[in-house]
Amino acid sequence: MKRKMKRAVSFLLAFCMILALAGCGKKKTGTDGPAPSTGSSTQTPGTTTQEPVIPEPELEPKAVVDPDDMEWGYENDGSNDYVHWYPDGDKLSDYYLMFEDGYLTIDDGGERTNMPMESENGHYVNSFEGDPAVDFVFLDNLTCYDLVGEQWYMSAIYEEAVASLTAGTFYCEAGDQWSFTFYDDGTYSLDFDGEVTEGQWWFNDACTICFMDDYGEAWIEVYYDTSSWEITGLEYVHEMYYPEA
């Protein structure tokens, strides 16, 4: 009897130990790896999708100067040729344009083509359907862009205007104690009652000169001879300045 009791007790102790070991095994298995992070179940390695980078569209030049307000001008006194507009301002090019009221002349190595033109909402376009399409917008009196051909053109008046501007001193009509002198290196001097100011100048467009003074940027309005691009006068702070006679 005693032997049977010992066997029963031994069996019970062995059974309890098995249960205890089984419980420890389950607990260890549950903590064997790191807990998944929030949302990781929706992310699959190697399948991350990157949003495509869409470049910003390039803005087309806008019409600033109305073609009806442009003064086309001639190459020089006595010339029948209007001012030449060269692609990208390349004066060595044998291809250039000439604009006039109602017409565009294209000179390609001496061979000229004329096209009737019309102004339309600030654009200068061909008016005859049989001609190649062109669509010019003018950013100033020196620069235009053909939206069809995607080509910049610059007027040849720049050198003529600079030569005229730097040829001598401009004196104020109110008294020669005020004067402007512009130099072809891009500098100027302003003599105002004996007080001289110096700085940099540049053409903002054919009709406007900008210069730097002690207060920042200032503007001068430019007037030309009606038959050429010779500068005949400057207007600054409602005062007219004229070249030395």
Side-chain angles (χ1 to χ4, degrees):
M1 182 70 178
K2 289 183 179 179
R3 184 175 297 176
K4 290 182 178 180
M5 288 294 294
K6 287 182 180 179
R7 287 182 178 176
V9 171
S10 298
F11 179 79
L12 287 174
L13 289 174
F15 183 75
C16 289
M17 290 179 66
I18 292 171
L19 290 177
L21 290 173
C24 291
K26 289 181 180 180
K27 185 176 181 181
K28 183 178 181 182
T29 303
T31 59
D32 196 29
S37 60
T38 304
S40 63
S41 60
T42 61
Q43 183 176 354
T44 302
T47 61
T48 303
T49 303
Q50 182 177 358
E51 290 295 325
V53 178
I54 302 175
E56 291 291 330
E58 293 185 6
L59 298 178
E60 291 183 338
K62 302 298 182 182
V64 176
V65 180
D66 192 321
D68 289 333
D69 297 331
M70 291 286 294
E71 294 185 18
W72 306 115
Y74 294 92
E75 274 294 279
N76 50 60
D77 289 338
S79 172
N80 292 323
D81 276 353
Y82 283 83
V83 169
H84 297 175
W85 294 69
Y86 292 97
D88 298 320
D90 179 11
K91 297 181 186 298
L92 297 179
S93 172
D94 59 0
Y95 181 95
Y96 59 86
L97 312 177
M98 292 186 290
F99 294 99
E100 57 180 305
D101 293 332
Y103 282 94
L104 166 66
T105 299
I106 302 174
D107 190 304
D108 188 357
E111 183 177 342
R112 293 188 173 182
T113 304
N114 296 313
M115 297 171 56
M117 303 288 287
E118 62 183 0
S119 180
E120 187 178 281
N121 298 323
H123 294 238
Y124 209 42
V125 298
N126 54 306
S127 58
F128 180 59
E129 292 182 358
D131 288 330
V134 292
D135 184 354
F136 294 97
V137 290
F138 293 85
L139 281 72
D140 51 53
N141 287 340
L142 293 170
T143 314
C144 70
Y145 185 75
D146 179 11
L147 294 168
V148 176
E150 299 182 345
Q151 176 63 58
W152 289 97
Y153 293 90
M154 298 178 188
S155 171
I157 69 166
Y158 181 79
E159 291 180 355
E160 289 78 1
V162 170
S164 176
L165 182 69
T166 59
T169 299
F170 288 77
Y171 292 94
C172 182
E173 65 177 349
D176 59 8
Q177 70 274 16
W178 302 342
S179 66
F180 273 103
T181 305
F182 297 88
Y183 305 100
D184 56 13
D185 64 353
T187 62
Y188 80 94
S189 63
L190 167 61
D191 190 337
F192 192 81
D193 290 335
E195 182 177 345
V196 177
T197 302
E198 297 178 334
Q200 300 288 322
W201 72 271
W202 63 95
F203 273 108
N204 184 61
D205 56 52
C207 297
T208 312
I209 293 174
C210 290
F211 68 95
M212 293 295 297
D213 61 13
D214 294 338
Y215 302 99
E217 284 190 16
W219 296 269
I220 299 174
E221 188 170 353
V222 182
Y223 295 86
Y224 295 93
D225 183 275
T226 55
S227 62
S228 71
W229 289 100
E230 179 184 358
I231 297 176
T232 58
L234 306 173
E235 183 177 357
Y236 173 60
V237 194
H238 307 297
E239 296 285 354
M240 288 299 302
Y241 290 72
Y242 296 104
E244 184 177 11

